[in-house]
């Protein structure tokens, strides 16, 4: 009964492609036909639609479509079709605007007429057929911006709020002002800008002035100094409103504190005590940075330069810079709730990026759970992994899970999983510590599987020690009827997405992470699917759990044009860097950009791709190497899943790249136990003895069609690709490692 081209989604669903109909003219029309066995016991079919381009899901009244095949199907709200008939139906989606359900009629008879009917009265009459149309709203992502700036005008004693946007068409600003500490909308004193009207005596509506000869519009608002904030939303048409993640945009007005300073001679130009505190603190940070820089300079003047001391100083500078940047961001008007609140004493910054010399091993694959004793098996390999030079191991998710691999967690405090029990996990972590390896726990914070149904039969009530209700589920996931706020990221549709804006959720997660650290001995975290929630929440969790090392999986598609990967992947790596920035630099991220560029370069023999327009590595490692975790394969991309497998036979070229370059390299378990083991071991040994680290300097010597070459820290030279390269003869280079289309030299 399964249509051609379909694939099985785990063990509970079928994914079938819609094909263009040959019966329609003048418009695109797609359908799928399912030929049912009339003797089967199927009473109904459930389905949802997915737009592959945008990843959007389409449902019926917030739930799956349900098409009855017999009249005794329960009369749920999401049933489509009248109770007058059924046969075979082709579902069709034309322009993603309507669904056509039609049938051709068939007879269905009860195979066993002696079956006893319980709970409901069954009718043996079959349905004759029906046709219905249902509208589907397609969401189209657009990239527009709204810029707001505030300046003080002492001559008029006004704050001038300027608003500019590139949104097309007429844009109306619904706005008001705030007085005192609250955020209640109030009407300001006149005069108002032109094209302004009163709206229900509660707000003002101002039509922004459109730019001549180009898209976009702008406007300005003169507000008194005694006002504390400017609040607004944007209206594009009768049905389209824009706000800030479900809340009004709020812009704090800087003149308020000065206007209320009774000792000031004028109404501007004075600094409050709070500002003085911030200034004194940031001045202290700047002085510390200057002293540390002087420390580096003095180290360089010595003949016996100590690279470890310099590395330690660089780390301290990076932490101080991150703290200073966070204070700067907190003093700039923004639309987020946290920024406009009172400035609090600075919190401790936990970098979560280790020493910079880490080499990470992913200690499992997609099949590791099947033995039921993976912790024990890995225990036996701990000393071997240490001898290979690994300093950090990433273990699989430890919690009770609906899926055996662990990525559908249920009871977070139950650590008896398919990989082993809690005692075996503790023993494994202890063993790794004994051989000098730090341990990362794989924590899934984006979603969680419920253990109970709500009154509507939807799984969104949780059990165990963290017995949350549906307030912990985001409101905009159509599958799980959450009562929380809207998601701060992308939804993962296979399980309830957790609402991290809820204080009780964040409190429980922080306590759980600290419990894992203290009870099991984890040294840090690998964070699953961090696209699903704001990076600021991650910072909160890391500040609480203080990991030695943390890395997030921020995964999305690279940039392509007509099916071919673009050379410029700045937009892709910028999204990863933005997430790292949102964490305050407290976590690293997997360098998906570098993996993608390596794919294209090696598959197509286009090694020129490995240098960006500025002559730097094209991935995150080229922009923020201390936060880039480079890799070529993991349990999702390789193993038995193979979602994005590295070009076959070229794996060692990939490892020759990441194990000689800055960033923190991660090696996949399957490759460690393969024929590549000795070559990987040699590259790790070379990296360690030359003290290559996450911030090492790199000079790209060649990036041509058939060869890429680079020099790292003036101590290591490497090349990948079939083309020729030899390092310059000025230095004493000796060939250290050679393999299939790769070579590595080091200074002698």
């Amino acid at each position: 009964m399964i249509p051609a081209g379909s694939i099985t989604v785990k063990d509970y669903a079928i994914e079938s492609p819609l094909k263009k109909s040959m019966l329609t003219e003048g418009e695109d029309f797609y359908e799928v036909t399912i030929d049912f066995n009339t003797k089967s016991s199927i009473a109904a079919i459930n389905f949802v639609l997915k737009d592959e381009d945008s990843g959007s899901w389409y449902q019926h009244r917030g739930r799956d479509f349900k098409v009855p095949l017999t009249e005794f199907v329960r009369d749920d709200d999401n049933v489509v079709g009248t109770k007058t008939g059924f046969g075979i139906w082709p579902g069709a989606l034309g322009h993603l605007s309507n669904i056509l359900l039609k049938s051709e009629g068939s007879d269905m008879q009860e195979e066993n007429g002696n079956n006893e009917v319980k709970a409901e009265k069954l009718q043996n009459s079959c349905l004759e057929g029906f046709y219905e149309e249902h509208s589907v709203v397609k969401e189209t992502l657009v990239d527009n911006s709204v810029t707001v700036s505030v300046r003080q005008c002492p001559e008029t004693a006004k704050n001038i709020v300027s608003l500019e946007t590139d949104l097309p068409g007429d844009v109306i600003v619904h706005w008001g002002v705030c007085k005192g500490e609250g955020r209640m909308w109030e009407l300001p004193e006149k005069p108002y800008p032109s094209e302004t009207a009163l709206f229900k005596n509660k707000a003002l509506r101002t039509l922004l002035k459109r730019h001549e000869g180009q898209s976009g519009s702008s406007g300005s608002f003169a507000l008194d100094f005694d006002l504390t904030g400017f609040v607004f939303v944007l209206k594009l048409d009768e049905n389209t409103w824009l706000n800030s993640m479900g809340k009004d945009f709020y812009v704090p007005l800087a003149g308020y504190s000065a206007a209320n300073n009774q000792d000031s001679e004028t109404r501007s130009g004075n600094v409050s005590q709070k500002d003085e505190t911030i200034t004194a603190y940031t001045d202290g940070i700047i002085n510390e940075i200057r002293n540390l820089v002087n420390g580096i300079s003095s180290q360089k003047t010595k003949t016996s330069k100590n690279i470890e001391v310099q590395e330690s100083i660089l780390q301290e500078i990076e932490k101080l810079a991150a703290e200073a940047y966070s204070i700067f961001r907190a003093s700039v008007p923004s639309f987020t709730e946290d920024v406009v609140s009172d400035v609090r004493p600075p919190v401790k910054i936990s970098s979560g990026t280790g020493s910079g010399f880490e080499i990470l091993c992913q200690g499992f694959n997609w099949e590791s759970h099947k033995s039921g004793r993976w912790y024990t098996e890995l225990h036996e390999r701990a000393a071997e992994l240490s001898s290979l030079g690994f300093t950090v191991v990433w273990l699989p998710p430890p919690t009770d899970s609906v899926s055996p691999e662990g990525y559908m967690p249920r009871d977070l405090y139950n650590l008896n999983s398919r990989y082993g029990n809690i005692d075996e996990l503790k023993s494994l972590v202890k063993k790794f510590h004994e051989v000098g390896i730090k341990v990362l726990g794989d924590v899934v914070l984006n979603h969680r599987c419920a253990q109970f149904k709500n009154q509507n039969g939807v799984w969104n009530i949780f059990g165990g020690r963290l017995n949350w209700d549906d307030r912990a589920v985001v409101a905009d996931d159509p599958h799980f009827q959450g009562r929380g706020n809207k998601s701060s990221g992308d939804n993962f549709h296979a399980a309830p997405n957790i609402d991290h804006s809820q204080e009780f959720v964040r409190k429980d997660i922080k306590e759980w992470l600290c419990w894992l650290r203290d009870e099991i001995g984890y040294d840090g975290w690998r964070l699953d699917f961090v696209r699903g929630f704001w990076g600021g929440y991650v910072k909160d969790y890391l500040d609480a759990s203080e990991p030695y090392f943390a890395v997030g999986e921020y995964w999305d598609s690279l940039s392509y044009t007509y099916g071919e990967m673009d050379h410029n992947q700045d937009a892709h790596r910028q999204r990863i860097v933005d997430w790292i920035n949102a964490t305050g630099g407290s976590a690293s991220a997997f360098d998906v950009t570098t993996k993608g560029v390596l794919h294209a370069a090696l598959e197509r023999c286009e090694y020129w791709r490995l240098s960006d327009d500025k002559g730097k590595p094209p991935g995150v490692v080229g922009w923020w190497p201390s936060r880039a975790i480079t890799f070529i394969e993991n349990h999702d991309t390789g193993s038995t899943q193979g979602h994005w497998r590295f070009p076959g036979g070229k794996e060692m070229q990939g490892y020759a790249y990441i194990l000689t370059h800055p960033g923190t390299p991660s090696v996949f378990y399957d490759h460690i136990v393969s024929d590549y083991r000795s070559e990987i071991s040699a590259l790790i040994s070379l990296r360690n003895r030359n003290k290559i680290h996450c911030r090492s300097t790199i000079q790209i010597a060649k990036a041509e069609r058939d060869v890429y070459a680079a020099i790292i820290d003036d101590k290591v030279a490497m090349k990948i690709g079939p083309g020729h390269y030899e390092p310059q003869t000025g230095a004493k280079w000796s060939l250290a490692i050679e393999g299939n289309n790769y070579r590595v030299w080091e200074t002698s």
Side-chain angles (χ1 to χ4, degrees):
M1 295 185 291
I2 300 176
S6 301
I7 60 174
T8 302
V9 180
K10 296 188 177 178
D11 58 353
Y12 55 79
I14 303 293
E15 185 175 287
S16 299
L18 298 174
K19 296 182 178 180
K20 191 168 184 177
S21 173
M22 304 300 294
L23 303 178
T24 60
E25 296 181 1
E27 64 176 17
D28 292 336
F29 187 84
Y30 297 86
E31 65 180 6
V32 62
T33 300
I34 304 175
D35 296 319
F36 283 96
N37 181 354
T38 58
K39 295 183 179 180
S40 71
S41 58
I42 300 174
I45 58 170
N46 296 340
F47 72 93
V48 292
L49 298 168
K50 182 181 180 182
D51 180 3
E52 290 293 343
D53 293 333
S54 65
S56 300
W57 294 83
Y58 301 95
Q59 298 178 301
H60 183 47
R61 298 173 181 170
R63 301 167 63 187
D64 299 340
F65 286 93
K66 177 178 287 187
V67 181
L69 309 190
T70 60
E71 286 196 359
F72 57 79
V73 172
R74 183 188 298 274
D75 189 14
D76 288 341
D77 288 341
N78 60 330
V79 169
V80 298
T82 61
K83 288 195 172 184
T84 58
F86 163 78
I88 311 169
W89 70 279
L93 179 66
H95 292 302
L96 284 177
S97 61
N98 58 67
I99 303 169
L100 305 178
L101 304 176
K102 52 186 179 180
S103 62
E104 298 175 359
S106 65
D107 295 330
M108 295 183 63
Q109 298 180 354
E110 183 68 44
E111 186 174 18
N112 185 354
N114 296 323
N115 286 345
E116 182 180 1
V117 178
K118 298 179 180 180
E120 292 190 30
K121 182 179 180 180
L122 305 184
Q123 298 181 13
N124 291 332
S125 59
C126 59
L127 302 177
E128 297 175 358
F130 65 86
Y131 170 96
E132 284 188 11
E133 293 187 9
H134 295 270
S135 62
V136 174
V137 178
K138 178 178 180 180
E139 293 184 355
T140 302
L141 297 179
V142 294
D143 185 11
N144 294 105
S145 65
V146 178
T147 303
V148 180
S149 61
V150 181
R151 64 180 177 86
Q152 293 182 354
C153 180
E155 292 80 7
T156 60
K158 298 282 188 180
N159 280 310
I160 308 300
V161 178
S162 299
L163 190 152
E164 185 170 358
T165 179
D166 60 358
L167 289 164
D170 290 336
V171 178
I172 297 176
V173 183
H174 278 240
W175 63 282
V177 296
C178 300
K179 298 180 180 179
E181 300 301 323
R183 293 195 180 177
M184 296 297 295
W185 283 55
E186 296 189 29
L187 297 177
E189 297 293 333
K190 293 181 179 181
Y192 302 145
S194 61
E195 300 293 334
T196 297
L198 186 63
F199 180 71
K200 296 183 178 179
N201 290 322
K202 295 181 179 180
L204 297 171
R205 304 173 62 168
T206 300
L207 176 65
L208 295 182
K209 185 177 180 181
R210 297 178 67 168
H211 298 157
E212 295 183 5
Q214 56 182 330
S215 63
S217 52
S218 60
S220 62
F221 308 83
L223 306 174
D224 292 336
F225 271 171
D226 60 350
L227 300 175
T228 59
F230 176 74
V231 286
F232 71 96
V233 294
L234 300 178
K235 182 179 182 182
L236 304 186
D237 53 47
E238 290 302 321
N239 300 313
T240 306
W241 294 78
L242 301 181
N243 55 30
S244 177
M245 297 179 63
K247 300 179 181 179
D248 303 333
F249 288 110
Y250 176 82
V251 182
L253 300 179
Y256 173 67
S257 60
N260 287 275
N261 188 340
Q262 301 299 321
D263 298 327
S264 59
E265 295 182 3
T266 63
R267 303 191 71 184
S268 63
N270 294 284
V271 181
S272 66
Q273 183 178 0
K274 180 174 66 177
D275 295 332
E276 291 173 356
T277 303
I278 296 172
T279 302
Y281 186 76
T282 53
D283 285 346
I285 291 178
I286 292 171
N287 288 331
E288 285 190 60
I289 292 175
R290 286 172 177 163
N291 293 334
L292 290 169
V293 172
N294 291 334
I296 290 181
S297 301
S298 63
Q299 284 291 327
K300 287 186 175 180
T301 59
K302 296 180 181 179
T303 55
S304 58
K305 182 170 61 176
N306 188 328
I307 187 66
E308 284 81 4
V309 172
Q310 292 185 35
E311 177 64 24
S312 175
I313 294 173
L314 282 171
Q315 288 184 49
E316 291 303 315
I317 290 176
E318 200 166 45
K319 290 180 181 179
L320 290 167
E323 191 167 355
Y325 179 73
S326 67
I327 294 172
F328 162 74
R329 291 287 296 173
S331 65
V332 175
S334 179
F335 298 141
T336 62
E337 293 292 322
D338 293 338
V339 170
V340 299
S341 61
D342 290 339
V343 177
R344 303 184 180 116
V347 296
K348 179 179 178 181
I349 300 294
S350 175
S351 73
T353 55
S355 67
F357 291 90
E358 281 71 29
I359 300 177
L360 176 63
C361 165
Q362 179 176 359
F364 64 99
N365 62 30
W366 193 247
E367 304 296 323
S368 296
H369 67 277
K370 289 189 173 179
S371 70
R373 54 188 302 273
W374 184 249
Y375 293 152
T376 303
E377 294 177 23
L378 207 55
H379 190 284
E380 299 168 358
R381 286 188 174 271
E384 176 190 355
L385 294 175
S386 177
S387 68
L388 290 174
F390 291 106
T391 62
V392 180
V393 64
W394 156 23
L395 296 184
T399 59
D400 165 53
S401 170
V402 171
S403 64
E405 298 83 12
Y407 289 100
M408 300 285 279
R410 185 167 43 195
D411 184 354
L412 299 186
Y413 278 92
N414 180 356
L415 301 190
N416 296 317
S417 70
R418 300 291 182 90
Y419 299 100
N421 60 42
I422 185 172
D423 293 329
E424 292 167 339
L425 175 58
K426 288 181 180 180
S427 176
L428 175 61
V429 172
K430 181 181 178 183
K431 178 65 176 179
F432 274 123
H433 287 166
E434 290 174 354
V435 298
I437 295 180
K438 304 284 187 182
V439 182
L440 304 185
D442 198 329
V443 290
V444 183
L445 305 181
N446 174 75
H447 52 273
R448 182 184 171 196
C449 292
Q451 289 177 265
F452 307 101
K453 296 180 181 180
N454 68 1
Q455 65 274 17
N456 298 322
V458 176
W459 294 89
N460 63 10
I461 307 298
F462 303 93
R465 181 165 163 182
L466 303 183
N467 54 346
W468 302 333
D469 59 17
D470 52 6
R471 292 174 300 157
V473 181
V474 297
D476 52 347
D477 184 342
H479 294 80
F480 296 104
Q481 298 182 5
R483 291 194 296 125
N485 296 313
K486 289 185 177 181
S487 175
S488 58
D490 297 333
N491 276 330
F492 177 79
H493 291 292
N497 286 247
I498 300 305
D499 178 13
H500 294 266
S501 71
Q502 302 284 4
E503 186 174 351
F504 74 90
V505 169
R506 294 198 306 277
K507 176 178 177 293
D508 285 347
I509 289 178
K510 286 185 283 190
E511 289 179 355
W512 177 63
L513 290 173
C514 291
W515 176 79
L516 286 176
R517 180 196 62 198
D518 299 337
E519 182 73 16
I520 306 302
Y522 285 124
D523 303 288
W525 319 114
R526 182 266 185 186
L527 302 156
D528 183 66
F529 197 74
V530 296
R531 276 177 53 198
F533 54 104
W534 178 46
Y537 298 133
V538 173
K539 182 183 186 303
D540 191 19
Y541 300 144
L542 299 187
D543 286 346
S545 59
E546 297 183 316
Y548 169 81
F549 196 89
V551 53
E553 180 206 28
Y554 191 97
W555 193 292
D556 67 357
S557 297
L558 279 77
S559 302
Y560 292 82
T561 301
Y562 301 118
E564 183 173 336
M565 182 181 290
D566 296 340
H567 175 232
N568 187 329
Q569 294 294 333
D570 287 355
H572 184 266
R573 57 177 166 174
Q574 183 66 60
R575 292 193 291 274
I576 300 175
V577 167
D578 287 346
W579 178 81
I580 301 172
N581 262 327
T583 73
S586 59
S588 300
F590 287 107
D591 192 348
V592 181
T593 316
T594 289
K595 173 176 169 63
V597 175
L598 280 169
H599 271 249
L602 274 59
E603 279 178 336
R604 303 165 64 94
C605 196
E606 295 175 345
Y607 291 84
W608 48 265
R609 291 180 176 274
L610 293 171
S611 176
D612 68 12
D613 294 336
K614 296 182 179 180
K616 295 180 177 294
V620 177
V621 71
W623 279 0
W624 204 346
S626 68
R627 301 298 189 269
I629 309 301
T630 52
F631 72 106
I632 70 167
E633 208 79 287
N634 63 27
H635 61 292
D636 286 322
T637 65
S639 190
T640 55
Q641 290 203 97
H643 289 324
W644 194 24
R645 201 178 300 280
F646 201 78
K650 296 180 171 62
E651 290 86 354
M652 284 312 305
Q653 289 189 61
Y655 280 122
Y657 183 94
I658 69 172
L659 287 170
T660 60
H661 278 51
T664 300
S666 175
V667 180
F668 184 41
Y669 183 83
D670 287 10
H671 294 156
I672 300 170
V673 297
S674 72
D675 294 338
Y676 300 137
R677 182 183 183 280
S678 61
E679 293 179 84
I680 292 173
S681 175
L683 287 168
I684 293 175
S685 178
L686 179 140
R687 183 181 182 91
N688 285 333
R689 69 174 173 263
N690 286 282
K691 293 183 169 56
I692 303 299
H693 53 91
C694 69
R695 301 175 185 85
S696 287
T697 61
I698 179 171
Q699 177 187 352
I700 297 178
K702 225 175 189 183
E704 300 174 356
R705 183 188 63 83
D706 59 353
V707 64
Y708 167 85
I711 298 175
I712 301 90
D713 281 348
D714 293 325
K715 294 184 292 186
V716 172
M718 59 81 66
K719 82 97 179 176
I720 57 176
H724 175 75
Y725 170 78
E726 294 282 343
Q728 294 179 354
T729 56
K732 294 181 179 179
W733 295 101
S734 60
L735 183 62
I737 306 172
E738 184 175 12
N740 183 21
N741 282 333
Y742 76 91
R743 283 186 167 192
V744 183
W745 298 262
E746 58 187 338
T747 55
S748 54

